Amino acid sequence: MIRKLSLRLSKAMFVICLLSRTLCAQTPPASPPKADSTVILNARVADGTGKSLRKANVRIVGDRIARIGNFKPEHKDRVIDAKGLVLAPGFIDIHNHSTDGLQTEPLAETQIAQGITSLVVGADGDSPWPILPWLDAVRKNPAAVNVAVMAGHATIREQVMGKDFKRHATAEEMAQMAKLTEQAMQEGAIGLSSGLEYQVGSYSNTDELVLMSTTAARNRGFYMTHIRDEGNKSFEALNEEIAIGERAHIPIEHSHIKVSTVAVWGKAPEYIRIIGSARKRGVDFLADCYPYDAWHSNIKVIMPDKQYENPESVEKALADTGGPDTVTITEFKPHPEYASHTIAELAAQRGISPVQMYIQIISEGDAAGTEAGVIGKSMIESDIKAFYQQPWVMVASDGGIGAHHPRGAGTFPRVLGLYVREKHWLTLPEAIRKMTSLPAQRLGWKDRGVIREGAFADLVLFDPETVIDRSTFAKPFELPSGIEKVFVNGELVWDAGKPTGARPGRGLPK
Ligand SMILES: [Zn+2]
């Protein structure tokens, strides 16, 4: 109510300013005045809550949605006719790896082209550090999109343990980690992330995670986690995650939910049942899922036992992931020519076994201080469908600017084109909810992720008949089609198939 009133007041002030320039002369505009008010006409509005579409006009004034309804545009309004298009809240990508990309490509073309208006970095336990200078830099050199940041568990663990991280932390070290978590939250991190399948995080125990999560929870944060195992031991890993949620009283965001090895393919329904009963017990459990049946990570991630040069272990790990012909190298600095080939192909070319090939790539990588990027088959379609149909599962990319996986440029249009229009797994309003108000709920954002008078004007206008991803494993940066216009904080950032150059993004929560 107060907000509506102040919006009307600021509108009134603007009219007064128009009438009398002298009255407002004490606050000269820093840049040439922009069209203050935009009306989107004839759109079918998906408001983000999951309600059915309704036809309405929407007026944007400044950075906010000022009016929704059946009204006529006024003289001063800039008018956009959106006949045939759907207007939705801008998409919120809760798991995005654009930490570096935002500095080199602040226009975030592959992101805004999908309709993403806010993204969250610092997932998988790996975040910028320290938090405040990083957020300040984003605020000083804004991107086209809004950005929020998680505090990374592994990042903090390394601050405390340095290179000596291949062990459980001592009580004093854990206390120090909790202290740094507190500091990160005070500086603007919105939660704690972990990546327990990765080197540094994998050596932590549950107590360490509970202690840090308790600190994050006290600061109104949530716990986002890439759990300890997404394959053979994914059920144990899920139970640990739920225990952390219960012991630390912290809301959970399960990253890129999957059952990703041969042994657990087809077991999504069982996974869902366990999560369902935790939710019934009061665990605030949400998850995100990317719309692809292949994962992208480093070559070591398929070996939970870390026996990278033990032929028996390697053989088992390759079989568990679906076989050496399902693991493709995406990038490898010591041998760029490996890229786009499977481990089976590379082995055949050299007349060695896939196991020997895997071990060779590991040792070549270790010698050069790097790891090969790989893509592997992550899930069967029935499992992806089962996850997507849960009301507590949202859409997120796990991609970002420069990602060598098609999810980096295709995730959101793919869900709208493939899962909604072609496969009918989801209704359009439900898919939009999973891209907007559901992530906003996890983030605690009340004024984003929804089309409501007074909310921020983060908006996407798209054609539901044509929207589709076009990025592939061979061409991961191809832009999608069907996303017509994107607004961030009331400013148009994507129009007519390209960025406008505007960078109105904010470093949230500010
Ligand atoms: Zn991850």
Side-chain angles (χ1 to χ4, degrees):
M1 205 47 208
I2 290 166
R3 177 163 297 126
K4 247 191 223 170
L5 197 71
S6 70
L7 266 172
R8 286 204 189 118
L9 268 175
S10 66
K11 249 169 76 184
M13 275 303 288
F14 181 73
V15 174
I16 292 166
C17 287
L18 279 185
L19 293 175
S20 160
R21 291 211 56 95
T22 48
L23 197 67
C24 304
Q26 63 267 45
T27 51
S31 51
K34 291 178 279 249
D36 173 74
S37 165
T38 299
V39 172
I40 299 170
L41 280 184
N42 305 315
R44 289 157 65 208
V45 174
D47 69 4
T49 66
K51 270 192 235 147
S52 348
L53 305 190
R54 67 166 177 134
K55 215 160 165 203
N57 300 335
V58 173
R59 175 179 282 122
I60 303 168
V61 178
D63 62 359
R64 304 271 181 163
I65 296 167
R67 192 170 176 196
I68 305 166
N70 189 10
F71 59 86
K72 287 210 165 56
E74 290 164 22
H75 213 59
K76 62 185 173 61
D77 289 325
R78 174 172 168 249
V79 174
I80 293 171
D81 188 359
K83 200 160 187 284
L85 303 178
V86 169
L87 183 69
F91 305 146
I92 299 172
D93 190 5
I94 204 166
H95 190 126
N96 188 294
H97 292 286
S98 292
T99 307
D100 297 334
L102 284 168
Q103 330 230 295
T104 51
E105 295 178 46
L107 292 181
E109 186 176 20
T110 52
Q111 309 303 294
I112 57 175
Q114 295 180 62
I116 295 173
T117 55
S118 297
L119 51 84
V120 179
V121 301
D124 294 323
D126 181 19
S127 72
W129 194 266
I131 297 291
L132 187 59
W134 190 85
L135 265 176
D136 277 346
V138 166
R139 287 167 184 151
K140 273 198 201 98
N141 181 30
V145 290
N146 300 310
V147 182
V149 61
M150 304 291 294
H153 161 249
T155 301
I156 291 174
R157 198 166 202 268
E158 271 188 308
Q159 291 298 314
V160 173
M161 300 176 79
K163 294 268 172 262
D164 180 26
F165 59 76
K166 292 188 176 177
R167 58 177 175 84
H168 287 172
T170 63
E172 295 81 67
E173 285 166 337
M174 288 189 202
Q176 185 60 21
M177 288 180 210
K179 214 172 134 195
L180 292 185
T181 307
E182 176 86 30
Q183 177 196 322
M185 295 299 298
Q186 297 287 335
E187 289 183 358
I190 49 166
L192 176 72
S193 83
S194 72
L196 305 183
E197 228 173 2
Y198 295 109
Q199 272 291 328
V200 179
S202 67
Y203 294 96
S204 63
N205 61 16
T206 308
D207 287 344
E208 176 183 321
L209 294 156
V210 168
L211 188 65
M212 292 168 77
S213 295
T214 305
T215 306
R218 231 189 4 248
N219 289 276
R220 281 188 281 158
F222 63 100
Y223 176 58
M224 173 193 275
T225 178
H226 173 148
I227 58 173
R228 223 174 268 280
D229 190 304
E230 299 183 317
N232 294 3
K233 292 190 178 157
S234 49
F235 284 84
E236 286 100 307
L238 175 63
N239 287 333
E240 181 192 30
E241 173 186 26
I242 291 170
I244 292 167
E246 289 187 307
R247 288 175 57 193
H249 303 288
I250 191 165
I252 287 177
E253 174 67 20
H254 181 116
S255 294
H256 41 62
I257 192 167
K258 62 172 90 77
V259 278
S260 75
T261 53
V262 176
V264 289
W265 281 348
K267 293 199 173 172
E270 218 176 297
Y271 220 59
I272 289 164
R273 264 198 302 280
I274 292 170
I275 295 165
S277 54
R279 284 171 55 85
K280 273 205 197 100
R281 291 200 305 276
V283 180
D284 183 357
F285 192 111
L286 301 180
D288 55 76
C289 190
Y290 55 74
Y292 295 85
D293 64 2
W295 50 261
H296 179 216
S297 190
N298 68 63
I299 192 163
K300 287 187 172 170
V301 86
I302 68 169
M303 305 267 332
D305 67 359
K306 300 193 172 70
Q307 304 288 306
Y308 308 114
E309 313 212 359
N310 174 348
E312 273 170 41
S313 279
V314 173
E315 176 140 33
K316 182 170 182 317
L318 285 173
D320 284 347
T321 57
D325 53 341
T326 65
V327 181
T328 306
I329 309 295
T330 53
E331 67 264 337
F332 189 42
K333 284 206 187 90
H335 288 278
E337 73 278 12
Y338 291 0
S340 305
H341 293 285
T342 66
I343 290 182
E345 284 167 2
L346 294 169
Q349 285 164 12
R350 284 158 187 76
I352 58 177
S353 74
V355 171
Q356 289 169 316
M357 190 67 224
Y358 180 91
I359 294 171
Q360 183 180 321
I361 299 171
I362 291 289
S363 55
E364 287 166 348
D366 284 351
T370 183
E371 289 173 14
V374 297
I375 283 167
K377 186 166 170 60
S378 64
M379 259 202 280
I380 57 174
E381 188 171 277
S382 60
D383 286 332
I384 301 177
K385 181 180 176 186
F387 286 134
Y388 259 96
Q389 291 186 330
Q390 302 312 309
W392 43 267
V393 171
M394 65 187 80
V395 179
S397 75
D398 193 12
I401 298 165
H404 285 264
H405 183 296
R407 67 191 179 204
T411 291
F412 291 83
R414 182 174 173 85
V415 170
L416 296 171
L418 190 63
Y419 294 174
V420 174
R421 187 176 62 238
E422 291 177 26
K423 292 183 187 279
H424 304 289
W425 288 1
L426 302 167
T427 64
L428 184 60
E430 175 62 4
I432 298 289
R433 187 183 72 86
K434 287 171 178 294
M435 301 172 175
T436 56
S437 71
L438 192 57
Q441 177 192 326
R442 179 73 324 147
L443 295 161
W445 295 352
K446 303 228 168 1
D447 286 343
R448 299 188 193 271
V450 66
I451 295 183
R452 176 179 26 80
E453 290 180 4
F456 284 103
D458 290 348
L459 296 165
V460 52
L461 204 49
F462 68 92
D463 185 342
E465 303 305 322
T466 62
V467 64
I468 196 74
D469 60 308
R470 291 167 63 237
S471 50
T472 62
F473 285 96
K475 290 186 171 173
F477 309 124
E478 289 292 291
L479 299 180
S481 46
I483 304 288
E484 303 292 332
K485 290 183 199 297
V486 179
F487 295 84
V488 172
N489 297 315
E491 279 193 53
L492 196 57
V493 296
W494 175 260
D495 189 24
K498 53 181 193 300
T500 62
R503 288 159 51 182
R506 295 182 187 164
L508 302 177
K510 273 186 200 159

